[in-house]
Amino acid sequence: MYHYTVNSGKKQSKNAGHGILRVLLAAGAAAGLLALLLLAFFSLLAAGGCAAEKLTPLRTFAGVHTGVYACESAALNGEDVLRQYRSVTVELREDGTFLLRAAPAKGEARQAEGEYGFDEESGILELRGSLYGRRFAKRCVYEDGAFTLLHTSPGLRFAAKFRMLP
């Protein structure tokens, strides 16, 4: 074991006080990962777009596809980020709104809301909302009770697959 002396002349371990620092760094990393997942999700949404006039009325979509969708997989630059969470879900409500909930393995769950629409002819689901004052819209293909959100930008590749819960 290595020791060093301070002006007081007492011996202290080099690791003294590092336990608290490690806990703070781990908590900061977990909070940062959650923030990164939510930011990546909404950045992903911000990258897409769709002409609203091409979307069918929300009532048409609401009866068939409303429900809760669980995230089956989520990867950021090829690294699995879903293992850091108890659950990540998107709820498509009958009133044409959605609610995203992300519950990390430790800590409090976070959520975000927006609106959605559906083009029955093309099978395109569009999620719309705002984050930090910026509007976003993201289109994804809806097929067999599932959809995948994809986003690519310089230095960032994000993919999350959601499937409707039974």
Side-chain angles (χ1 to χ4, degrees):
M1 179 177 216
Y2 297 101
H3 292 84
Y4 63 93
T5 57
V6 181
N7 291 341
S8 68
K10 294 181 180 180
K11 289 185 177 183
Q12 294 181 354
S13 170
K14 284 185 176 182
N15 293 327
H18 287 197
I20 293 172
L21 182 60
R22 287 183 195 151
V23 169
L24 291 175
L25 288 175
L33 183 60
L34 176 61
L36 183 61
L37 178 66
L38 290 174
L39 184 61
F41 178 78
F42 285 110
S43 294
L44 156 73
L45 294 177
C50 175
E53 63 273 6
K54 290 185 178 180
L55 296 174
T56 59
L58 293 175
R59 279 186 234 142
T60 303
F61 179 68
V64 181
H65 300 50
T66 57
V68 177
Y69 294 76
C71 186
E72 293 183 328
S73 63
L76 182 63
N77 290 336
E79 186 174 329
D80 180 16
V81 293
L82 190 58
R83 62 187 165 91
Q84 305 270 336
Y85 293 85
R86 288 187 312 259
S87 68
V88 177
T89 60
V90 173
E91 179 183 0
L92 300 180
R93 300 173 177 159
E94 289 185 18
D95 64 357
T97 62
F98 74 86
L99 175 66
L100 166 70
R101 289 186 193 111
K106 296 180 181 177
E108 294 183 28
R110 308 247 183 208
Q111 60 186 38
E113 295 181 282
E115 301 172 335
Y116 71 92
F118 185 71
D119 183 341
E120 290 181 5
E121 291 180 19
S122 64
I124 300 294
L125 169 66
E126 181 182 26
L127 303 171
R128 302 178 298 272
S130 64
L131 180 67
Y132 303 119
R134 290 186 70 186
R135 298 283 305 155
F136 64 82
K138 181 60 187 174
R139 296 168 35 137
C140 42
V141 175
Y142 183 93
E143 188 173 64
D144 297 328
F147 60 93
T148 302
L149 296 169
L150 301 171
H151 176 66
T152 304
S153 65
L156 179 69
R157 260 188 357 242
F158 179 77
K161 183 173 184 176
F162 292 86
R163 180 165 304 281
M164 184 181 262
L165 292 175

